[in-house]
């Protein structure tokens, strides 16, 4: 059952990833991205990562993809892109480089990626004492050993929210009239 | 043809997940390099981040340590922040230039 689920979900993951890259329409790419994210969530479940799987579905498939689709609909960029090559041979070289990355990971890193390193947190995933469920184990590690990085993520999120608000606001003009035909240098000064 | 005995004898080791994550990462990298639409390039970056998450969880399972699962949350926060700021940049560019492909962004070309 585990073997069947792994190959089914792994195949769906790669199929969705190829769909993201190959689909002409950005909306189709976003929907293929949802397929990949849900398949990866099932793969998380297969590896005893229940909380991570739930967060993957809620945050990634729920929030981030909705943000993508919202921007696609807002901008109306759901038309196929031009196939003219501004750089000659860019796409074959890109595919060759991607294959090279895969071979590098599999050959070079594959030699020693099961290193048998020591555990760091002292909280095992299964067993090992009275640590409770998966959520309790993750919370124990997150709020003890990783407390300082956890606080820093709050700072990062605040910076991201403020930055996106500043970027999305046109300086000195109301937000309503977005399309005017003056793409010249306006000197938009963001302090 | 019976694949049931084969499936019964096959065991999914962490290496299977790592190979899958490597393939996912490579597809995402090719997507960033090949596509011109900036939104699809961002989606390919999400694919690469998901491959990293899969690697973290696979190693957490292999080493039986919860820290790998905790690190996924930090990746997730970085991905969310990147998407918020990146989409705001795309919206700002689109207002100026009426297009959101990478070929339009040649202002800095020397």
């Amino acid at each position: 059952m585990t073997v069947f689920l792994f190959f089914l979900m792994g195949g769906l993951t790669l199929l969705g990833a190829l769909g993201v890259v190959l689909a002409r329409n950005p909306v189709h790419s976003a929907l293929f991205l949802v397929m990949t994210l849900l398949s990866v969530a099932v793969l998380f479940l297969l590896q005893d990562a229940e909380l991570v799987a739930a967060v993957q579905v809620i945050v990634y498939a729920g929030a981030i993809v909705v943000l993508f689709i919202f921007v696609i609909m807002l901008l109306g960029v759901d038309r196929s892109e031009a196939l003219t090559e501004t750089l000659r041979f860019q796409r074959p070289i890109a595919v060759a480089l991607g294959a090279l990355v895969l071979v590098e990971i599999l050959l070079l890193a594959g030699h020693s990626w099961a290193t048998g390193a020591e555990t760091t947190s002292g909280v095992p995933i299964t067993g090992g004492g009275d640590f409770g469920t998966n959520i309790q184990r993750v919370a124990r590690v997150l709020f003890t050993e990783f407390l300082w990085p956890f606080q820093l993520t709050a700072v990062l999120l605040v910076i991201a929210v403020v930055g996106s608000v500043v970027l999305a606001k046109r300086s000195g003009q109301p937000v309503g009239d977005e399309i005017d035909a003056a793409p010249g240098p306006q000197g938009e000064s963001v302090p | 043809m019976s694949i049931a005995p084969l499936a019964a004898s096959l065991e999914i080791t962490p290496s299977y997940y790592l190979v899958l994550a490597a393939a996912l990462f490579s597809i995402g990298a090719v997507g960033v390099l090949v596509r011109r639409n900036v939104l699809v390039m961002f989606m390919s970056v999400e694919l690469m981040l998901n491959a990293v998450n899969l690697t973290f969880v696979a190693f957490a399972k292999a080493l039986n340590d919860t820290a790998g699962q905790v690190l996924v949350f930090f990746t997730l926060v970085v991905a969310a922040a990147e998407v918020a700021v990146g989409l705001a940049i795309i919206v700002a560019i689109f207002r100026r230039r009426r297009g959101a492909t990478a070929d339009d962004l040649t202002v800095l070309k020397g």
Side-chain angles (χ1 to χ4, degrees):
Chain A
M1 186 62 187
T2 308
V3 176
F4 172 70
L5 267 182
F6 171 77
F7 282 106
L8 177 67
M9 287 304 153
L12 282 179
T13 301
L14 294 182
L15 207 65
L18 285 175
V20 170
V21 176
L22 296 179
R24 293 284 175 87
N25 194 328
V27 180
H28 296 170
S29 289
L31 294 179
F32 276 120
L33 184 63
V34 173
M35 180 170 127
T36 298
L37 296 176
L38 292 182
S39 306
V40 171
V42 176
L43 289 176
F44 286 163
L45 276 181
L46 284 177
Q47 292 176 290
D48 299 329
E50 289 93 2
L51 180 62
V52 173
V55 170
Q56 169 98 354
V57 172
I58 293 170
V59 174
Y60 257 120
I64 291 182
V65 175
V66 166
L67 197 62
F68 269 115
I69 293 179
F70 183 76
V71 171
I72 291 171
M73 296 301 172
L74 177 72
L75 299 183
V77 290
D78 51 347
R79 59 175 183 271
S80 58
E81 62 194 63
L83 288 175
T84 57
E85 302 250 354
T86 50
L87 292 172
R88 288 183 67 207
F89 304 121
Q90 187 210 352
R91 288 174 197 201
I93 290 176
V95 173
L97 281 177
L100 187 66
V101 166
L102 181 62
V103 169
E104 275 185 6
I105 295 172
L106 292 184
L107 286 185
L108 298 179
H111 273 297
S112 59
W113 63 24
T115 57
E118 299 291 323
T119 60
T120 57
S121 68
V123 178
I125 290 178
T126 53
D130 189 18
F131 288 115
T133 61
N134 179 252
I135 296 177
Q136 288 167 328
R137 289 166 193 261
V138 170
R140 182 185 290 269
V141 178
L142 183 62
F143 292 122
T144 55
E145 188 169 353
F146 289 92
L147 183 62
W148 174 236
F150 178 73
Q151 301 285 345
L152 286 182
T153 58
V155 178
L156 178 67
L157 282 176
V158 170
I159 291 172
V161 167
V162 173
S164 56
V165 167
V166 169
L167 280 170
K169 186 175 78 70
R170 307 186 90 191
S171 62
Q173 294 181 17
V175 184
D177 52 346
E178 53 263 11
I179 296 172
D180 51 354
Q186 298 172 0
E188 186 170 343
S189 65
V190 175
Chain B
M1 293 298 292
S2 64
I3 65 170
L6 178 68
S9 65
L10 191 63
E11 188 186 358
I12 299 298
T13 58
S15 296
Y16 284 77
Y17 287 100
L18 295 177
V19 170
L20 177 65
L24 192 59
F25 186 90
S26 302
I27 292 174
V30 170
V32 172
L33 291 175
V34 164
R35 294 304 296 259
R36 304 285 167 75
N37 193 324
V38 185
L39 281 163
V40 181
M41 289 168 79
F42 262 102
M43 291 180 205
S44 301
V45 172
E46 297 301 316
L47 287 181
M48 293 161 77
L49 287 168
N50 251 278
V52 173
N53 282 350
L54 196 56
T55 309
F56 270 132
V57 172
F59 273 118
K61 175 75 173 169
L63 300 175
N64 199 13
D65 184 24
T66 316
Q69 295 186 7
V70 173
L71 284 171
V72 172
F73 288 93
F74 297 125
T75 314
L76 220 110
V77 169
V78 171
E82 168 239 330
V83 165
V85 176
L87 290 181
I89 290 174
I90 290 174
V91 170
I93 289 171
F94 194 85
R95 280 180 180 157
R96 289 278 199 98
R97 313 208 152 263
R98 307 293 305 277
T101 67
D103 289 338
D104 296 333
L105 309 176
T106 55
V107 181
L108 285 178
K109 190 159 83 176

